[in-house]
Amino acid sequence: MSKSGRRAAPLPTRQQIIDFVKSREGRVGKREIARAFNVRGDDRIALKHLLRDLEVSGDIGRERRRLTSTDALPEVTILEISGTDVDGELLAVPMRWTADTPPPKIYVAPDRGGRRALRTGDRVLARLKRQSRSVYEAHVMRRIGYRTSSVLGIYRKTAKDGRIEPTDRRHKAEYLVGRGDDAGASPGELVLAEVLPGRRLGLPQARVIERLGDVRNPRAFSLIAIHSHAIPDKFSDEALALADRARNPPLGKRTDVRKLLLVTIDGADARDFDDAVWAAPDRSPDNAGGWSVTVAIADVANYVRPGDALDIAAFDRGNSVYFPDRVVPMLPEALSNNLCSLRPNEDRACLAVHLTISKDGRLKSHRFERALMRSAARLTYEQVQKARDGKPDSKTAPLYDPVILPLYGAYGALAMARRKRGALEIDLPERRAVLDSSGKVTRIEAAPRFDSHRLIEEFMIAANVAAAETLERLAQPCMYRIHDEPDPAKVEALRDFLKGLHLTLAAGQVMQARLFNKLLGQAAATPQAEVIAELVLRCQSQAVYSPRNIGHFGLALRRYAHFTSPIRRYSDLLVHRALIHGLRLGAGGLPDGNGDDFVRIGEHISTTERRAIAAERDTFDRYVAAYLSERQGETFGGRISGVTRFGLFLRLDEVGADGLLPIRFLPHGPYRHDERAHALTARKDRRVYRIGDRVEVRVLESNPVTGATIFDLPEAPPGARKKRRKAG
């Protein structure tokens, strides 16, 4: 019994303390917690230990000797380096983040202490300085570990042992491979190695666990990305067996749409065809000038059932990953390239949506059904566009009037609706690497962009909207594709930059995509058109998957879900299952209660999508570096695409390659970095290098293994270049 006569209460639970800290305005201390839960006497010591455990686990934080909710970051915390932003600034994420909202953005300040450079996966103890509500600057106190225990690199032999040169450009140190730990690897081989504890000769140690072939083979570039990004590329025996046993279903209760002139339209190198389209003028008197459209999608849910080995593999991958020389599919080829591929003149199970569209592109009605279809033709974007332009070939000529002409008619209506609602119109050119039969890059070119591409995009968008609307009407779980409004801080920074170009982005209004379109229209006739489009793109939030709908900012849509590619996206398979369950279309639907896990699934497949994008980009960079490695010393024209405190990122006009011009290579230094103006200014003569400026650069070095390309300036004398390289 306490002196006051009141009995001390039992210690609060961990969750009670977490909830209490979250419920209080600002920070609280041990005294407030003890008072709130009537903790007295010796129990205060036990409370102190409990609070310490909660801090260590990351459930609560500490800032200036006071406790905080982990919704706000503590002053000192553990971070993991997550990569770099588009300007090359190092980013980090908290090791533990339990809030429902995304973690704040954390920029890592440059190290002034001479420590080795940080890399993705490094874990650090850092002191945080809050810049705004959602932005922090981190000052690293010390490095405390690394996330992974493996390294991918190039093996080479020394007199006494071996070395591994990592393929990840952020790894600054080589790894030592002792005798007997090389698995028989030959010099120049690409190897996967296990990192061992301890160091020898000042180097971390590793043991080779897998040999992946000669790194000089261009086909190794995608292998590097697959292993570096931990992309699953092997299916279990059970999953392969399920795929091999799959067979076309009988017509049964399915609708027979095999007489409908459905066609697939894809790239010339496509191997899987998961969507087919058809259109015709709507004959209904109350929809004069309108269109009837059918979009048929491979019925993947018929073959991949919730919880089976195929489902587990598809969830793990999240999506297919596409490289110039190979595809890592979400599903085994027996499905992705066969039963679920809508190949011409073969019966295929599908989930079809019939759309009724008004003459101005409004979606008037839609109806989903399971069906059996037969594609009338496999067409390419180039074929269809040539036919539209009056140059049909032997395949498209007989299809022009009954198929292609009505497709373009319906597309015209949908495109009108897109313009009216003000969807974001950023059409930056995409580059692709063209390979010969050996996998060597023959050229880097801009991928063609036709109206036939836009036609398919608009048909898919209409089908995706119909899927989201149907699931809402049925009160079924829906995995939405959401796109939040742009970051206000980035928009404001864009406005600051535009002032110097006498361009404006309207302020004080509800942010809408059409405002960016207006800016892009103003900039179209200026030399800065492409860089402004890039900056507008950088302002945008990242689209993600979530069961919590907030709309799609870029498409200017209130609801949107991915339905049209279940062969290559797990999100679409979930939408198919929800439709099948809600509309009672047979087996393979979403089991009751599965929607409860959609938040976690959405986070996972958003992560696998980002992983795929990063892997595809890294591989392209390696192919470009291989192409430029044979042109070292040549001069190219380009534009400054990014400005950082350590140099300029440039994009070459001819090949679209990105590379770095280090600040130490710029004349008349030192330079001051103006982050808001995206500029470096010489302190001596006020020379300015600004994003969007044209620059002539020389390829100094280009490394196909890391994908890194370094430029210098043509006016630099050769002796100065050698001195700079030695200094760097």
Side-chain angles (χ1 to χ4, degrees), residues 333-351:
E333 289 192 5
L335 293 180
S336 61
N337 290 354
N338 186 8
L339 281 184
C340 294
S341 185
L342 308 181
R343 302 196 299 203
N345 304 314
E346 295 184 21
D347 288 356
R348 287 292 181 262
C350 68
L351 190 59

mmCIF file of all heavy atoms in Angstrom, residues 333-351:
data_model
loop_
_atom_site.group_PDB
_atom_site.id
_atom_site.type_symbol
_atom_site.label_atom_id
_atom_site.label_comp_id
_atom_site.label_asym_id
_atom_site.label_seq_id
_atom_site.Cartn_x
_atom_site.Cartn_y
_atom_site.Cartn_z
ATOM 1 N N GLU A 333 5.574 -20.196 -68.588
ATOM 2 C CA GLU A 333 5.299 -19.992 -70.013
ATOM 3 C C GLU A 333 4.153 -20.856 -70.514
ATOM 4 O O GLU A 333 3.480 -20.494 -71.484
ATOM 5 C CB GLU A 333 6.557 -20.247 -70.833
ATOM 6 C CG GLU A 333 7.620 -19.167 -70.655
ATOM 7 C CD GLU A 333 8.731 -19.264 -71.679
ATOM 8 O OE1 GLU A 333 8.627 -20.125 -72.586
ATOM 9 O OE2 GLU A 333 9.690 -18.482 -71.587
ATOM 10 N N ALA A 334 3.909 -21.999 -69.887
ATOM 11 C CA ALA A 334 2.784 -22.834 -70.307
ATOM 12 C C ALA A 334 1.472 -22.076 -70.202
ATOM 13 O O ALA A 334 0.514 -22.363 -70.932
ATOM 14 C CB ALA A 334 2.720 -24.102 -69.441
ATOM 15 N N LEU A 335 1.414 -21.080 -69.311
ATOM 16 C CA LEU A 335 0.236 -20.217 -69.208
ATOM 17 C C LEU A 335 0.461 -18.896 -69.930
ATOM 18 O O LEU A 335 -0.326 -18.500 -70.783
ATOM 19 C CB LEU A 335 -0.102 -19.953 -67.735
ATOM 20 C CG LEU A 335 -0.589 -21.146 -66.920
ATOM 21 C CD1 LEU A 335 -0.870 -20.718 -65.485
ATOM 22 C CD2 LEU A 335 -1.851 -21.744 -67.530
ATOM 23 N N SER A 336 1.545 -18.186 -69.574
ATOM 24 C CA SER A 336 1.732 -16.824 -70.088
ATOM 25 C C SER A 336 1.880 -16.780 -71.598
ATOM 26 O O SER A 336 1.412 -15.836 -72.246
ATOM 27 C CB SER A 336 2.952 -16.171 -69.426
ATOM 28 O OG SER A 336 4.136 -16.902 -69.699
ATOM 29 N N ASN A 337 2.528 -17.779 -72.190
ATOM 30 C CA ASN A 337 2.723 -17.782 -73.642
ATOM 31 C C ASN A 337 1.820 -18.766 -74.372
ATOM 32 O O ASN A 337 1.897 -18.895 -75.590
ATOM 33 C CB ASN A 337 4.181 -18.109 -73.987
ATOM 34 C CG ASN A 337 5.116 -16.984 -73.609
ATOM 35 O OD1 ASN A 337 4.668 -15.919 -73.193
ATOM 36 N ND2 ASN A 337 6.406 -17.212 -73.730
ATOM 37 N N ASN A 338 0.959 -19.483 -73.610
ATOM 38 C CA ASN A 338 0.122 -20.475 -74.258
ATOM 39 C C ASN A 338 -1.344 -20.286 -73.875
ATOM 40 O O ASN A 338 -2.063 -19.490 -74.487
ATOM 41 C CB ASN A 338 0.607 -21.889 -73.925
ATOM 42 C CG ASN A 338 -0.135 -22.976 -74.693
ATOM 43 O OD1 ASN A 338 -0.920 -22.680 -75.600
ATOM 44 N ND2 ASN A 338 0.083 -24.223 -74.337
ATOM 45 N N LEU A 339 -1.819 -20.967 -72.835
ATOM 46 C CA LEU A 339 -3.253 -20.980 -72.547
ATOM 47 C C LEU A 339 -3.821 -19.604 -72.222
ATOM 48 O O LEU A 339 -5.002 -19.349 -72.488
ATOM 49 C CB LEU A 339 -3.543 -21.941 -71.388
ATOM 50 C CG LEU A 339 -3.594 -23.429 -71.736
ATOM 51 C CD1 LEU A 339 -3.996 -24.229 -70.515
ATOM 52 C CD2 LEU A 339 -4.563 -23.691 -72.878
ATOM 53 N N CYS A 340 -3.022 -18.730 -71.606
ATOM 54 C CA CYS A 340 -3.521 -17.393 -71.255
ATOM 55 C C CYS A 340 -3.139 -16.347 -72.292
ATOM 56 O O CYS A 340 -3.371 -15.156 -72.082
ATOM 57 C CB CYS A 340 -2.998 -16.978 -69.882
ATOM 58 S SG CYS A 340 -3.637 -17.991 -68.539
ATOM 59 N N SER A 341 -2.541 -16.775 -73.384
ATOM 60 C CA SER A 341 -2.192 -15.858 -74.464
ATOM 61 C C SER A 341 -3.238 -15.992 -75.563
ATOM 62 O O SER A 341 -3.493 -17.093 -76.061
ATOM 63 C CB SER A 341 -0.802 -16.194 -75.011
ATOM 64 O OG SER A 341 -0.405 -15.245 -75.976
ATOM 65 N N LEU A 342 -3.863 -14.884 -75.933
ATOM 66 C CA LEU A 342 -4.980 -14.895 -76.883
ATOM 67 C C LEU A 342 -4.450 -14.998 -78.308
ATOM 68 O O LEU A 342 -4.523 -14.062 -79.102
ATOM 69 C CB LEU A 342 -5.832 -13.643 -76.693
ATOM 70 C CG LEU A 342 -6.300 -13.384 -75.245
ATOM 71 C CD1 LEU A 342 -7.169 -12.130 -75.185
ATOM 72 C CD2 LEU A 342 -7.056 -14.587 -74.693
ATOM 73 N N ARG A 343 -3.911 -16.174 -78.622
ATOM 74 C CA ARG A 343 -3.295 -16.391 -79.926
ATOM 75 C C ARG A 343 -4.370 -16.531 -81.002
ATOM 76 O O ARG A 343 -5.470 -17.022 -80.736
ATOM 77 C CB ARG A 343 -2.405 -17.632 -79.872
ATOM 78 C CG ARG A 343 -1.327 -17.490 -78.794
ATOM 79 C CD ARG A 343 -0.189 -18.479 -78.936
ATOM 80 N NE ARG A 343 -0.595 -19.871 -78.835
ATOM 81 C CZ ARG A 343 0.247 -20.851 -78.487
ATOM 82 N NH1 ARG A 343 1.502 -20.554 -78.183
ATOM 83 N NH2 ARG A 343 -0.164 -22.101 -78.434
ATOM 84 N N PRO A 344 -4.073 -16.091 -82.220
ATOM 85 C CA PRO A 344 -5.095 -16.095 -83.278
ATOM 86 C C PRO A 344 -5.551 -17.499 -83.637
ATOM 87 O O PRO A 344 -4.772 -18.464 -83.613
ATOM 88 C CB PRO A 344 -4.385 -15.412 -84.457
ATOM 89 C CG PRO A 344 -2.925 -15.555 -84.174
ATOM 90 C CD PRO A 344 -2.788 -15.536 -82.685
ATOM 91 N N ASN A 345 -6.847 -17.582 -83.923
ATOM 92 C CA ASN A 345 -7.472 -18.818 -84.418
ATOM 93 C C ASN A 345 -7.395 -19.975 -83.424
ATOM 94 O O ASN A 345 -7.414 -21.141 -83.816
ATOM 95 C CB ASN A 345 -6.842 -19.232 -85.761
ATOM 96 C CG ASN A 345 -6.945 -18.127 -86.798
ATOM 97 O OD1 ASN A 345 -8.013 -17.525 -86.970
ATOM 98 N ND2 ASN A 345 -5.842 -17.840 -87.468
ATOM 99 N N GLU A 346 -7.293 -19.650 -82.130
ATOM 100 C CA GLU A 346 -7.304 -20.670 -81.087
ATOM 101 C C GLU A 346 -8.335 -20.274 -80.030
ATOM 102 O O GLU A 346 -8.407 -19.107 -79.640
ATOM 103 C CB GLU A 346 -5.923 -20.824 -80.443
ATOM 104 C CG GLU A 346 -4.851 -21.333 -81.391
ATOM 105 C CD GLU A 346 -3.525 -21.574 -80.689
ATOM 106 O OE1 GLU A 346 -3.528 -21.742 -79.445
ATOM 107 O OE2 GLU A 346 -2.478 -21.595 -81.375
ATOM 108 N N ASP A 347 -9.132 -21.246 -79.573
ATOM 109 C CA ASP A 347 -10.130 -20.964 -78.532
ATOM 110 C C ASP A 347 -9.420 -20.606 -77.230
ATOM 111 O O ASP A 347 -8.469 -21.291 -76.826
ATOM 112 C CB ASP A 347 -11.024 -22.179 -78.303
ATOM 113 C CG ASP A 347 -11.990 -22.419 -79.455
ATOM 114 O OD1 ASP A 347 -12.010 -21.589 -80.387
ATOM 115 O OD2 ASP A 347 -12.706 -23.438 -79.419
ATOM 116 N N ARG A 348 -9.914 -19.547 -76.579
ATOM 117 C CA ARG A 348 -9.319 -19.120 -75.319
ATOM 118 C C ARG A 348 -10.407 -18.661 -74.354
ATOM 119 O O ARG A 348 -11.362 -17.971 -74.740
ATOM 120 C CB ARG A 348 -8.327 -17.965 -75.535
ATOM 121 C CG ARG A 348 -7.014 -18.377 -76.197
ATOM 122 C CD ARG A 348 -6.195 -19.261 -75.273
ATOM 123 N NE ARG A 348 -4.922 -19.657 -75.852
ATOM 124 C CZ ARG A 348 -4.687 -20.811 -76.454
ATOM 125 N NH1 ARG A 348 -5.701 -21.682 -76.614
ATOM 126 N NH2 ARG A 348 -3.493 -21.114 -76.914
ATOM 127 N N ALA A 349 -10.236 -19.055 -73.089
ATOM 128 C CA ALA A 349 -11.132 -18.576 -72.035
ATOM 129 C C ALA A 349 -10.821 -17.120 -71.750
ATOM 130 O O ALA A 349 -9.651 -16.720 -71.690
ATOM 131 C CB ALA A 349 -10.940 -19.412 -70.775
ATOM 132 N N CYS A 350 -11.864 -16.313 -71.565
ATOM 133 C CA CYS A 350 -11.643 -14.893 -71.316
ATOM 134 C C CYS A 350 -12.694 -14.347 -70.354
ATOM 135 O O CYS A 350 -13.737 -14.962 -70.127
ATOM 136 C CB CYS A 350 -11.654 -14.096 -72.624
ATOM 137 S SG CYS A 350 -13.266 -14.028 -73.438
ATOM 138 N N LEU A 351 -12.366 -13.210 -69.796
ATOM 139 C CA LEU A 351 -13.326 -12.402 -69.055
ATOM 140 C C LEU A 351 -13.544 -11.159 -69.905
ATOM 141 O O LEU A 351 -12.598 -10.380 -70.122
ATOM 142 C CB LEU A 351 -12.781 -12.043 -67.667
ATOM 143 C CG LEU A 351 -13.754 -11.395 -66.679
ATOM 144 C CD1 LEU A 351 -14.943 -12.309 -66.413
ATOM 145 C CD2 LEU A 351 -13.055 -11.086 -65.356
#
